[in-house]
Structure formats: structure tokens, C-alpha cells
Amino acid sequence: MKKHLLKILIFLVVAGCCCVLPGHSSASGPPARTHWQAFELPSDHRPGYQGLLIFWIIPDQDIYTYSHDPGPGGYPTALEILGVLSEELTVYYPPGKMLPDPFEPQELSSLYLGPTPVFIPVPEDLTSGQTLEARASFLLCSDRNCWPVSKEVQYDLDRLALESLPNPEEESWWPRWVASVPGEKESPAPWTGNSEPAAPLLEEGFLFETRSFTPGLEVSSAAKAALLAILAGLILNFMPCVLPVISLKLRGMIPDSAHDQDAAAKRKAFRIHNLFFALGMLLFFSILSVIISLTGMAWGQVFQNPIAIVILAAVVFGLGLSLFGLYDLPIIDLKAGSSSPKKNPNLEALSTGMLATLLATPCSGPFLGGVLAWALTQPPATIAFVLLCVGLGMASPYILMFFFPFMVKFLPKPGNWTLYLEKGLGFLLMATCIYLIALLPETLIMQTLIMFWIIGLGAWMWGKWTSLSQTRLKRGLIRGIAISMMILAAFFLFKPRTYYPAIWMAFDEQKFHQVWGEENFLIEFTADWCPNCKFLEKTVLTPPFLDRIGQDYDLVFLKVDLTYKNPAGEEMLRALDSMSIPLVAIFRKDEPHSPLILRDLFTRNQLLNALDNEFRSSKP
């Protein structure tokens, strides 16, 4: 819990992301090495094959990769055979370990932990002058960064005939080979992921001598980094990713009618606004530089946290609602002529500058990638200096307007058109919310939309149910209810969850026949378009409850997903005398022809009673 709170706290003061996520310098390369090994392949396992090649991926400590079949997230590990040998050789991948994805804990992904072998059995007729060429691609990840790797590798197959190959059956990885190939004779032993392979026949480390297409833009000194950082920060103001903050910047440029008649006051307000707006940007980059230099946090790492994205989207949504007139904000108020008695123009400009910087930095611009790739491998003081230069470049247009306040005369005069502009900017902020929601994993989108609905209701209660004519007690009570409603909704929608191993097996005819008459099992029919099905899954068929009844009644669980056309599942539904869902059927292994059916909605107690009656009645 403390770790999650720390991430949320850091998010509130740290800038968003960039397309580059450097964690290692280009000189050191990704945190892994690879090599080949060759072994004799026993004839009782693969007759007609002279040997077994293994391509090892050996990540550094605390680095993992995704398996060849990673699940809904991740990037598959693959070894693609190139050339004419692609038709002669088959690549086999070991199964991964199903775990909550480190970047999307609500999703289960198949991961490779520790050294990972990729297997290639070699037929007897492929030794004479043949060279195996392949392209290895995989994603190396820590709990903070990821490094995509794609490299071409080779192996001279003549070496199989020239060398005396060891027998592999005593090797610690042998169970993984057995698990990789369908039809092998042995059952795989558990793999801990910790044992190193034997001495390699061919060592291939990730030590590249890179060449830049634009060597003049490569950074090699603090002076050059500072210059390019200022230029990169300036360009950030004009990148497409600045669209989310146009509303914040434009609103600051619109003069209020209060200063319309006094030119001197108008210039003074313009100067002060730009000064504090620029100070907000520099303050934000100062905080960012301290956090990154002290923690080693990667630029953009915050956007790897879905909860951080939800918080940012909720802030933007709240700002958008204020532009539609639901309420006045005490600190960041984007509306012209706000009547809020607590409005402080200087504090508003400062906080708006900080928020604008946060929203404007999710993507990179020219020069920034090279600057960060060099800077984030330097000592903390250098990191802080370079990031401050980026902030100085981004704030430079507003610093310029502070020193040249005559630019205010180029701004349009205030009028009714500003009200339409405010609404347009509100819609732009709503579009930003859509963009942020699109970054979330699918499993969080529905919770986020529900949270936005509750935020909208709470904002309406705050702004439209209260007024200064009410007593302070009544006004405070209504607003307290609105805030409590939003806090409770956030807690219940995004509370930390305990993750259980994958309980449900996806239904297919083969799995059904494997368990039918051999296991006690429960089968559920569901679909994404069935709200009652989803209600059951959230309230009754939850992972902890299924884990409990699975142990108590020795049950396995099958799920028939009818979201899309599923002929086998639909046939099974009809065989159970049903044409509607939700439906749950309980099969006893000693009486598989007579399942017990629960239709529509039911409670946990009803399901427990059904299980008790079914299995206790079967006992002598």
C-alpha cells in the first residue's frame, strides 16, 4: 500500500512521459546477454535428429521477459529462422509462468523469469556447410523500464558434427524442453528460473558499436546538452501533444474586462500572469529534476501506472466541468470574470503553469530523445541541470512576453466571444480525457467511466445545490456528501486487489471431454453484453470465492464466452435445455450425465446450498 501511495504522490508532482524510456546508456546496452549451446538429442525423443540447439536469453538480475504467448499484454519472445532453413527447422518455446503483469497488475501475463532457453532440434542432413541465421526479438523489462531487443544471430551447423555433444537429460533445463514439445514422454518438473546454463559454446553479448545517422545531434558534453535541451523545451510548445494544454495557455492570454479600460493595468496583469506562468513551469521541472536525479526514475515512468493516468484524467475532467459553469475553482479557475472570493491571480497562474507542463510532456520532440538518453546516465547534478534547461526552453515564450508587455495589444478585446471560447476549450479538455482513457488497459476503462460519472454528479451537487445564501452548515453538508461520494467511489472502484492464479479455463470441446466424467466441474455461460452475467462475476463468482469452493468441493471451472459467435458453446447451452444466460451448470464426475442447473441471478448461499446438496447427496 505504501508503494502505491508513493507512486501517486510522485505523480502529483512529476511530469508525464516521453517516447524514450532510457534506463541504460547506449554503451552498456540492454540488461541481458545471449549465447548458443548444442546438445545430443536422444533418439527416443527425436529420432532422425542429430542435435538440439539452444538459444539462451540470460537477463540481468530482476529483469524478466514475456513468453512466446504472453497473453493480453507484453511482447512475444520470438526467434525467426531466416533464409532456406526456415522451412527445415522448427523453433520450440518453453511455457511461461502466469503472473500479474508488473505494469498492468489486473492482467495475467505469461512471463519468463531468469535464463530462458529457446529450442531448435536439428535434422541429420543439415550439417554440410549450412549456417543457421535467425532474428531474435524480445522485450526486457524491470519494474520501471522496458528495453525492446531485435538482433540477428548465427550458428555454424558444421560444429554439431565436429564436436562431442553432451547428453541433455541430466540438465536442469530438460523439463522445459519436454514441456515445450507436444507428445514428449516425460512430465515437466517445476522450473525455478534461477539456474544458469552450462558453459556456452558461443558467447554473444549486447555490446554494439552504434553509429548515429545524425552525429551532430549526439550529446557528449553538458554544454551541448544544455543548448539542445533549451531548444527541445521551446519546440515542445509547438508539438501536436501540446493540444491538451491549449485551453490553459489560451485562457491566460485572454484579458479580463476589468482591465479593459486601463492600458497600464492591462500590461501589468499581462506581465505578472506570464511571470508566474513561467515560474510554474520552472518549479515543475525543478521538482521533476530532484525526483529523477535522486530516485533514478525514468522520464515518463509515471504513465506506466494506470492509476496515475486515471488521476490525471480525473483532474482534466474536473477542469473541463468548471469551464461549463458547474462550479468555480479556488486555485485553477479557467473562466473569465470568476466570482470566486478566494481567487488569487498569481497563485492561479503559477499552478496553471505547473499543470500545463504536466499535460504537455507526454510526448517527445526533436532533440529531446538524444538529450535524455545522455543526461539520464549522468550524475544527479547533471540530470537536474539538463532538465532545468528543458524547463527554461519551454518557459521561454512566456518569459519573453514578461519582458515585452507591449505584446498584449495584439490580443483581442474581451467580449461575449470569450464565453464561446471557454466552452470550446472545455470540449478540448474532454477530448484529452478520451485520449487518456485510451491509454488504460481495457479492464480499467469501465471503472474509469463510472468514476467520471460520479465526479460529474458530485460536481453538479457542489456547484448547483449550494449557494452563498444558504447557511454554512447546509452548504458544508451538501459539499461534504459530494466529496465523500467521490472518495468512496474511487476506493471501491480502484481498491487494491488480491490476485489469484488463473481459475477459469476457456471452454472448448477438447477441454470439456478431458474433465467430463473425470473431474467435478462448474461451467459458466457468460458474455460481455450480458449485464447480469457481469453482476454475478462481480458479486458471486469472484476469484476468492471460487478458490474456496474449488478446494472444498474439488472443483475445476470452465467458462463459455458467448460475446461473439461460439458454435460449440451455443451447442452446449442448448444441450443444457437453455437459450438464455447467465447459466451455471455443476457436473459430478460420478454422475456426468445429470448436471445441476442454476439459471439467471443467484446468491452465494444459493450456490453453496446447491453444491452441498449435490456432493453430500452423492456420498454414501
Side-chain angles (χ1 to χ4, degrees):
M1 177 62 75
K2 291 182 179 179
K3 184 177 180 181
H4 289 296
L5 291 175
L6 178 60
K7 288 183 178 180
I8 293 173
L9 179 62
I10 291 176
F11 164 77
L12 294 175
V13 294
V14 179
C17 72
C18 173
C19 296
V20 181
L21 291 174
H24 284 57
S25 68
S26 58
S28 63
R33 56 193 174 93
T34 64
H35 69 250
W36 291 100
Q37 276 188 295
F39 289 86
E40 178 186 357
L41 190 57
S43 59
D44 60 338
H45 281 269
R46 275 289 184 268
Y49 286 77
Q50 60 172 311
L52 177 65
L53 274 180
I54 301 179
F55 179 75
W56 281 98
I57 301 171
I58 308 174
D60 291 354
Q61 187 176 4
D62 298 325
I63 301 295
Y64 65 90
T65 57
Y66 290 88
S67 75
H68 183 63
D69 184 15
Y75 180 86
T77 293
L79 185 67
E80 178 188 4
I81 307 298
L82 305 176
V84 295
L85 292 183
S86 62
E87 299 180 1
E88 303 291 337
L89 299 177
T90 302
V91 180
Y92 295 96
Y93 303 90
K97 187 173 184 180
M98 295 300 297
L99 293 169
D101 190 287
F103 290 114
E104 297 182 15
Q106 67 282 351
E107 296 279 3
L108 286 175
S109 294
S110 179
L111 306 180
Y112 288 150
L113 307 177
T116 299
V118 178
F119 304 103
I120 308 173
V122 181
E124 292 178 345
D125 57 350
L126 288 183
T127 57
S128 178
Q130 298 274 13
T131 298
L132 187 158
E133 298 182 349
R135 180 179 293 109
S137 57
F138 47 92
L139 187 66
L140 297 163
C141 291
S142 68
D143 60 350
R144 298 188 297 129
N145 295 349
C146 285
W147 298 264
V149 176
S150 179
K151 60 176 297 187
E152 292 192 3
V153 294
Q154 294 182 338
Y155 186 84
D156 185 358
L157 293 177
D158 283 336
R159 300 177 63 184
L160 292 174
L162 295 175
E163 300 183 12
S164 177
L165 302 179
N167 189 306
E169 293 181 282
E170 300 300 323
E171 299 289 334
S172 60
W173 51 261
W174 182 251
R176 302 187 82 182
W177 156 254
V178 175
S180 303
V181 183
E184 286 297 318
K185 299 180 179 181
E186 302 176 12
S187 298
W191 171 257
T192 62
N194 296 320
S195 56
E196 284 280 351
L201 297 177
L202 177 63
E203 185 75 22
E204 293 185 7
F206 291 106
L207 296 175
F208 303 112
E209 186 176 346
T210 58
R211 296 176 297 113
S212 173
F213 182 70
T214 54
L217 299 181
E218 291 298 306
V219 177
S220 56
S221 66
K224 189 172 183 178
L227 179 62
L228 292 178
I230 293 174
L231 185 58
L234 174 63
I235 294 175
L236 275 180
N237 286 285
F238 308 99
M239 293 300 294
C241 55
V242 84
L243 290 176
V245 298
I246 285 181
S247 58
L248 301 179
K249 294 184 177 182
L250 284 183
R251 183 61 201 95
M253 300 296 106
I254 299 173
D256 290 335
S257 58
H259 302 297
D260 189 33
Q261 303 300 324
D262 190 337
K266 189 175 181 180
R267 286 195 298 272
K268 181 180 178 181
F270 181 75
R271 292 188 67 198
I272 292 177
H273 173 84
N274 282 289
L275 173 63
F276 279 91
F277 194 89
L279 286 176
M281 289 183 161
L282 291 173
L283 177 60
F284 187 90
F285 272 97
S286 299
I287 297 172
L288 173 65
S289 65
V290 170
I291 291 176
I292 289 182
S293 60
L294 293 182
T295 66
M297 187 176 172
W299 177 275
Q301 184 181 340
V302 165
F303 274 71
Q304 296 170 348
N305 185 343
I307 297 301
I309 298 176
V310 171
I311 294 174
L312 178 57
V315 171
V316 175
F317 185 68
L319 287 172
L321 292 179
S322 74
L323 285 171
F324 290 109
L326 278 184
Y327 49 75
D328 295 329
L329 292 170
I331 298 178
I332 303 177
D333 195 347
L334 305 180
K335 299 191 301 300
S338 171
S339 59
S340 174
K342 298 181 180 180
K343 183 173 180 179
N344 184 320
N346 298 341
L347 179 60
E348 180 182 321
L350 182 75
S351 55
T352 304
M354 295 180 68
L355 182 62
T357 309
L358 170 62
L359 294 174
T361 51
C363 76
S364 177
F367 313 117
L368 188 58
V371 168
L372 293 175
W374 177 82
L376 295 181
T377 62
Q378 302 304 310
T382 304
I383 296 175
F385 171 70
V386 172
L387 288 178
L388 283 174
C389 289
V390 176
L392 180 63
M394 194 169 181
S396 58
Y398 310 99
I399 296 174
L400 183 67
M401 286 186 281
F402 167 76
F403 284 109
F404 298 98
F406 69 87
M407 293 182 180
V408 71
K409 68 181 181 180
F410 297 109
L411 297 178
K413 293 183 178 180
N416 290 335
W417 66 271
T418 60
L419 300 178
Y420 293 98
L421 178 62
E422 285 177 3
K423 302 302 184 290
L425 299 179
F427 281 110
L428 184 60
L429 286 180
M430 295 303 170
T432 304
C433 291
I434 296 174
Y435 165 73
L436 292 171
I437 291 174
L439 300 178
L440 294 171
E442 291 184 6
T443 53
L444 280 182
I445 289 177
M446 181 56 69
Q447 290 98 307
T448 303
L449 293 177
I450 294 172
M451 187 69 218
F452 279 19
W453 184 87
I454 294 173
I455 290 173
L457 177 60
W460 179 57
M461 292 171 59
W462 180 287
K464 298 303 181 183
W465 289 20
T466 63
S467 66
L468 294 177
S469 62
Q470 296 171 332
T471 64
R472 180 174 297 180
L473 176 62
K474 182 178 181 180
R475 189 168 62 249
L477 180 62
I478 294 174
R479 291 180 174 179
I481 292 173
I483 292 176
S484 299
M485 182 176 61
M486 289 185 278
I487 293 174
L488 288 173
F491 173 77
F492 285 108
L493 288 170
F494 301 104
K495 66 180 179 180
R497 303 175 184 176
T498 301
Y499 294 97
Y500 291 81
I503 293 176
W504 292 104
M505 293 190 298
F507 168 84
D508 60 43
E509 293 181 83
Q510 182 180 2
K511 285 193 180 74
F512 179 81
H513 288 294
Q514 286 175 353
V515 298
W516 189 66
E518 301 293 332
E519 303 277 358
N520 300 320
F521 67 93
L522 180 149
I523 184 168
E524 180 207 9
F525 294 80
T526 184
D528 289 347
W529 42 260
C530 172
N532 284 346
C533 303
K534 297 305 171 186
F535 179 78
L536 274 179
E537 291 168 1
K538 293 291 185 182
T539 58
V540 177
L541 303 176
T542 61
F545 182 70
L546 293 178
D547 187 55
R548 170 188 154 193
I549 63 175
Q551 295 181 31
D552 290 347
Y553 299 98
D554 192 24
L555 286 172
V556 295
F557 301 94
L558 290 179
K559 178 176 287 190
V560 181
D561 189 348
L562 300 177
T563 302
Y564 303 104
K565 190 170 182 61
N566 185 344
E570 293 165 9
E571 182 181 352
M572 176 61 64
L573 183 65
R574 288 191 293 269
L576 294 171
D577 297 324
S578 298
M579 292 295 292
S580 65
I581 57 176
L583 180 77
V584 165
I586 301 168
F587 286 80
R588 282 189 356 222
K589 62 183 177 183
D590 58 349
E591 197 175 350
H593 292 282
S594 181
L596 179 65
I597 302 299
L598 285 81
R599 301 184 189 277
D600 303 322
L601 295 177
F602 52 84
T603 66
R604 287 188 181 183
N605 284 337
Q606 288 174 319
L607 179 56
L608 286 173
N609 289 336
L611 291 168
D612 281 342
N613 292 335
E614 186 71 1
F615 291 103
R616 287 179 181 172
S617 65
S618 66
K619 294 180 181 180

